[in-house]
């Protein structure tokens, strides 16, 4: 079939990310003798510079990786928890019923830096300087600012000037938003990374000691001190329409480190699918696969109505369970074995018919009935019968101006030795909270995933991880890493990744073919983000599906929204065959993601 670009093939290395500069930097690490992990780390820091509307140093990241040396596939959890002061009582005293989608009260401990340093220490080969130098270069010397970044800043100009003056100083040179493709610098961030490198190298010549010194500089040194001082003195306007101080402290920073854990796994299509655990939405991907095992997807067309209908209806069921069961397993008893079991899927699959469902239908697992009832009641209180939001919408002009939703970036890398990784960095967007001027970056807004009602799976609690939407995917075939892929998109991440994976497994499409075909997703279930709206029965599909497919979907009852072609999804992927052949692909949508393989 025709594709916008070839699936790239090679034997030396493969990198794919959501920005061409990040991908090029990742490949440069491989060219210098680094491995896939060095490549992914360097790419991540560059993306923090060139895609600041999607990710920043104050954000978070889950990383799934396979080490050829150890033969293990593991997860690094760079999703840090809520601060000690993030109690239900405190947020209620602030007059909130939902945690705003921006501002300082939406902040949890920044998790990504420690996660990247942990991966570098235990599985990389390069130094702190090596992986940070490209990001320092683009922050100090400048990079061509993307039109989407410039447009985001332009839309926030009046809000920044009125409410977030430190952001205005950083992002409005000469008092106005930068022009698309103009050279843009973040010299404060460059200085932060330069100081991190200097403090790392002051620990001596040992690579691991340098990495530990870098971790300490961020979480126990000057970075944590600057964050503490800024949060303590700053009252920031947020989507609630009021100004609030945050609760994050240097003590919170010092008391947390990223951790390594086993992935959640499922056998499908001759591969072992690896996802993050129930502190994220990874289980929804696996549940959907379990539901779809009962259908002959191979007999469907990869861009046909039957394929999209079955996938959409299965996702409606798995994401309904996400709302009622999935949360940090350190705080909540998650019946994960039941949720991803074939027996549970066999019963749930009976709810899928040839017509689109408009109901939110979680399963009722014995012993969890009260929990499901409480969650459904909480969702009902947020919405009227039509699903229209009725509380906590931003109403003031200032708040309307501040609502610029952030998103995510994605990185995949594979090397000639059999190492592979997939990572989904996010948070710390330029629109999430005011710039910390001494550091050149913003804090995250991940706490908006929490509920401010007690006794729900995702109720706010100090030390608890928010249920993240960040969800990379890595598959194993015959004991070796086979595919790594992902896409930005919040609640849509799993949906677009499922389309890619199923097209590859059932229809034999290569990575680029699977990505280039028309894409779709549903917003039938509640959003993970403030203000948690949903559109029952909704399905958005690119017009490139064609009239016949779109009419068929309407006939099945879907509330269909037709999107312009090339506007849905931001998938990137790499793969490795048994003979060592490496593959890479990236979406043409938005004209910025890129893949390299040689």
């Amino acid at each position: 079939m025709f594709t916008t670009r070839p699936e790239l093939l090679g034997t030396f290395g493969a990198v794919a990310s959501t920005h061409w500069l990040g991908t090029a930097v990742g490949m440069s690490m491989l060219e210098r003798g680094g491995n896939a992990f060095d490549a992914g780390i360097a790419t991540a820091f560059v993306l923090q510079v060139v895609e600041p509307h999607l990710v920043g140093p104050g954000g978070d990241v889950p990383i799934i990786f396979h080490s050829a040396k150890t033969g293990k596939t593991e997860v690094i959890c760079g999703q840090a928890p809520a601060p000690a002061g993030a109690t239900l009582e405190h947020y209620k005293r602030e007059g909130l019923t939902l945690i705003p989608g921006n501002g300082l009260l939406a902040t949890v401990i920044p998790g990504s830096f420690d996660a990247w340093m942990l991966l570098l220490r235990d599985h990389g080969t390069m130094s702190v300087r090596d992986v940070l130098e490209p990001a320092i270069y683009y922050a100090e010397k400048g990079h061509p600012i993307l039109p989407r970044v410039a447009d985001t800043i332009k839309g926030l100009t009046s809000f920044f000037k009125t409410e977030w003056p430190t952001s205005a100083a950083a992002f409005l040179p000469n008092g106005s938003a930068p022009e698309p493709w103009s050279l843009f610098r973040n010299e404060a961030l460059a200085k932060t990374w330069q100081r991190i490198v200097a403090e790392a190298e002051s620990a001596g010549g040992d690579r691991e000691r340098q990495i530990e010194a870098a971790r300490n500089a961020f979480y126990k040194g000057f970075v944590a001190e600057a964050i503490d001082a800024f949060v303590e003195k700053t009252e920031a306007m947020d989507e609630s329409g009021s100004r609030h101080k945050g609760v994050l402290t240097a003590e919170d920073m010092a008391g947390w480190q990223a951790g390594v854990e086993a992935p959640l796994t499922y056998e499908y299509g001759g591969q072992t699918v690896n996802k993050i655990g129930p502190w994220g939405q990874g289980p929804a991907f696996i549940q959907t696969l379990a539901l779809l095992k009962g259908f002959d997807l191979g007999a469907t067309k990869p861009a046909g109505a039957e394929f999209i209908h079955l996938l959409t209806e299965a996702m409606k069921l798995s994401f309904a369970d996400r709302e009622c069961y999935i949360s940090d397993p350190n705080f909540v008893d998650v019946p994960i074995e039941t949720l991803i079991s074939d027996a549970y899927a066999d019963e749930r699959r009976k709810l899928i018919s040839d017509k689109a469902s408009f109901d939110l239908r979680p399963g009722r697992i014995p012993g969890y009935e009260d929990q499901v009832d409480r969650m459904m009641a909480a969702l009902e209180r947020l919405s009227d019968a039509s699903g229209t939001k009725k509380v906590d919408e931003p109403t003031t002009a200032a708040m309307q101006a501040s609502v610029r939703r952030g998103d995510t970036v994605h990185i995949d890398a594979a090397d000639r030795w059999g190492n592979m990784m997939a990572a989904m960095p996010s948070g710390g967007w330029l629109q999430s909270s005011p710039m910390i001027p001494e550091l050149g970056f913003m804090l995250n807004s991940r706490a908006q995933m929490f509920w401010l009602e007690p006794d729900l799976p995702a109720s706010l609690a100090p030390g608890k991880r928010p249920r993240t939407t960040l969800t990379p995917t890595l598959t194993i075939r015959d004991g070796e890493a086979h595919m790594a892929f992902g896409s930005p998109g919040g609640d849509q991440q799993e949906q677009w990744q499922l389309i890619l994976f199923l097209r590859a497994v059932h229809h034999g499409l290569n990575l680029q073919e699977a990505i280039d075909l028309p894409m779709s997703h549903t917003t039938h279930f509640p959003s993970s983000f403030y203000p948690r709206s949903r559109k029952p029965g909704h399905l958005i599909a690119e017009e490139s599906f064609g009239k016949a497919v779109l009419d068929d979907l309407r006939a099945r009852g879907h509330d269909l929204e037709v999107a312009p072609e090339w506007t849905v999804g931001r998938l990137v992927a790499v793969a490795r065959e048994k003979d060592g052949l490496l593959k890479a692909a990236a979406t043409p949508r938005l004209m910025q993601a890129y893949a390299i393989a040689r």
Side-chain angles (χ1 to χ4, degrees):
M1 62 171 282
F2 172 81
T3 56
T4 57
R5 60 190 77 176
E7 180 187 55
L8 302 174
L9 305 175
T11 56
F12 177 80
V15 182
S17 83
T18 49
H19 195 294
W20 67 89
L21 289 177
T23 300
V25 164
M27 180 56 73
S28 77
M29 297 296 112
L30 296 178
E31 297 284 1
R32 292 170 55 187
N35 62 20
F37 311 125
D38 300 313
I41 296 163
T43 299
F45 285 117
V46 168
L47 294 183
Q48 292 174 3
V49 176
V50 301
E51 294 197 88
H53 63 317
L54 304 178
V55 68
D60 33 43
V61 62
I63 308 166
I64 303 179
F65 67 97
H66 179 81
S67 166
K69 181 178 180 180
T70 67
K72 293 181 179 180
T73 305
E74 296 179 297
V75 170
I76 293 181
C77 177
Q79 177 54 71
T87 64
L88 288 173
E89 295 74 21
H90 177 78
Y91 283 64
K92 291 290 188 179
R93 287 196 300 270
E94 295 290 311
L96 299 172
T97 57
L98 288 176
I99 297 178
N102 60 10
L104 294 175
L105 274 179
T107 294
V108 300
I109 300 167
S112 65
F113 185 79
D114 204 61
W116 291 123
M117 290 298 104
L118 183 60
L119 181 65
L120 182 65
R121 186 194 71 185
D122 293 348
H123 300 281
T125 67
M126 290 185 156
S127 68
V128 175
R129 175 180 290 277
D130 291 331
V131 298
L132 277 174
E133 272 189 332
I136 292 170
Y137 174 87
Y138 286 116
E140 182 178 34
K141 304 301 182 183
H143 59 92
I145 193 164
L146 294 167
R148 283 179 168 261
V149 183
D151 289 346
T152 299
I153 296 171
K154 184 177 181 180
L156 288 163
T157 296
S158 62
F159 180 76
F160 279 177
K161 288 181 176 180
T162 304
E163 297 292 347
W164 293 359
T166 58
S167 294
F171 292 109
L172 302 173
N174 303 315
S176 60
E179 291 297 318
W181 303 123
S182 63
L183 205 61
F184 187 81
R185 295 175 175 84
N186 186 344
E187 295 180 17
L189 179 57
K191 291 177 181 177
T192 294
W193 291 143
Q194 287 167 340
R195 184 170 174 184
I196 290 280
V197 170
E199 296 205 12
E201 293 178 344
S202 70
D206 180 77
R207 193 183 75 93
E208 291 191 9
R209 288 182 60 186
Q210 289 187 3
I211 293 169
E212 290 306 306
R215 296 172 81 184
N216 285 334
F218 196 98
Y219 288 91
K220 299 178 181 180
F222 78 96
V223 174
E225 291 167 1
I227 289 173
D228 184 286
F230 184 80
V231 173
E232 197 280 328
K233 70 182 181 184
T234 305
E235 281 192 327
M237 177 65 77
D238 58 45
E239 286 187 62
S240 71
S242 300
R243 296 178 182 86
H244 298 101
K245 285 187 175 182
V247 294
L248 179 64
T249 67
E251 187 175 357
D252 294 315
M253 298 277 292
W256 180 82
Q257 286 189 334
V260 180
E261 61 188 56
L264 194 64
T265 62
Y266 189 73
E267 301 298 320
Y268 190 94
Q271 302 182 53
T272 302
V273 177
N274 294 269
K275 299 293 291 185
I276 65 172
W279 46 273
Q281 65 179 356
F285 186 102
I286 290 177
Q287 277 191 267
T288 304
L289 292 181
L291 289 164
L292 292 173
K293 267 189 176 179
F295 299 100
D296 185 7
L297 291 186
T300 66
K301 295 179 180 180
E306 180 73 3
F307 175 77
I308 296 301
H309 173 76
L310 291 174
L311 175 56
T312 301
E313 294 307 298
M315 290 189 300
K316 289 176 182 178
L317 297 175
S318 59
F319 277 82
D321 280 349
R322 182 193 72 168
E323 294 306 303
C324 293
Y325 293 104
I326 300 303
S327 188
D328 187 346
N330 294 335
F331 283 73
V332 176
D333 180 18
V334 181
I336 193 64
E337 292 80 8
T338 298
L339 288 169
I340 65 173
S341 69
D342 289 340
Y344 183 71
D346 290 343
E347 288 300 311
R348 296 280 280 153
R349 191 182 302 116
K350 296 174 183 178
L351 296 173
I352 298 176
S353 71
D354 60 354
K355 293 295 183 182
S357 169
F358 278 64
D359 298 321
L360 193 66
R361 300 179 291 179
R364 297 185 66 81
I365 297 174
Y368 294 82
E369 294 90 348
D370 289 346
Q371 176 176 303
V372 172
D373 290 341
R374 289 195 301 272
M375 190 69 242
M376 294 297 287
L379 290 168
E380 180 62 26
R381 285 191 288 273
L382 284 181
S383 303
D384 61 25
S386 67
T388 303
K389 289 295 305 164
K390 63 182 181 181
V391 296
D392 279 352
E393 291 279 19
T395 55
T396 67
M399 287 306 90
Q400 291 287 358
S402 80
V403 179
R404 295 290 186 278
R405 300 300 178 201
D407 203 340
T408 301
V409 300
H410 186 80
I411 304 160
D412 300 311
D415 62 34
R416 61 191 185 275
W417 300 293
N419 300 304
M420 186 177 288
M421 60 155 288
M424 198 78 76
S426 187
W429 314 310
L430 66 87
Q431 62 273 40
S432 63
S433 64
M435 165 80 78
I436 302 172
E438 300 92 330
L439 301 177
F441 67 80
M442 296 67 59
L443 296 171
N444 62 78
S445 56
R446 189 63 58 182
Q448 66 184 291
M449 273 64 176
F450 287 119
W451 284 76
L452 293 181
E453 293 192 34
D455 302 321
L456 301 177
S459 296
L460 175 68
K464 187 177 184 179
R465 291 172 289 184
R467 187 198 72 204
T468 184
T469 55
L470 307 176
T471 174
T473 309
L474 190 148
T475 73
I476 300 295
R477 189 172 67 183
D478 299 326
E480 297 181 353
H482 176 52
M483 293 176 64
F485 53 95
S487 173
D491 295 310
Q492 285 75 57
Q493 290 180 22
E494 296 292 33
Q495 303 189 55
W496 298 331
Q497 290 184 72
L498 279 161
I499 292 175
L500 165 63
F501 180 65
L502 293 168
R503 284 172 173 168
V505 169
H506 291 289
H507 304 110
L509 300 186
N510 70 39
L511 297 177
Q512 196 64 51
E513 290 171 335
I515 288 171
D516 277 5
L517 278 179
M519 303 295 290
S520 68
H521 67 264
T522 179
T523 56
H524 168 84
F525 45 83
S527 170
S528 296
F529 298 87
Y530 180 98
R532 299 186 179 277
S533 57
R534 65 178 287 251
K535 297 180 181 179
H538 173 262
L539 176 64
I540 186 168
E542 289 181 312
E543 62 181 343
S544 43
F545 275 104
K547 184 177 185 301
V549 171
L550 297 174
D551 286 347
D552 191 334
L553 291 169
R554 289 190 186 95
R556 295 168 189 259
H558 295 281
D559 180 11
L560 189 66
E561 176 184 349
V562 179
E565 61 181 347
W566 306 118
T567 59
V568 177
R570 290 186 67 199
L571 286 156
V572 298
V574 302
R576 186 179 190 275
E577 300 298 337
K578 288 287 291 182
D579 60 4
L581 183 66
L582 297 172
K583 304 177 178 182
T587 183
R589 296 164 176 90
L590 303 188
M591 300 287 286
Q592 65 183 67
Y594 238 81
I596 299 177
R598 80 156 182 87

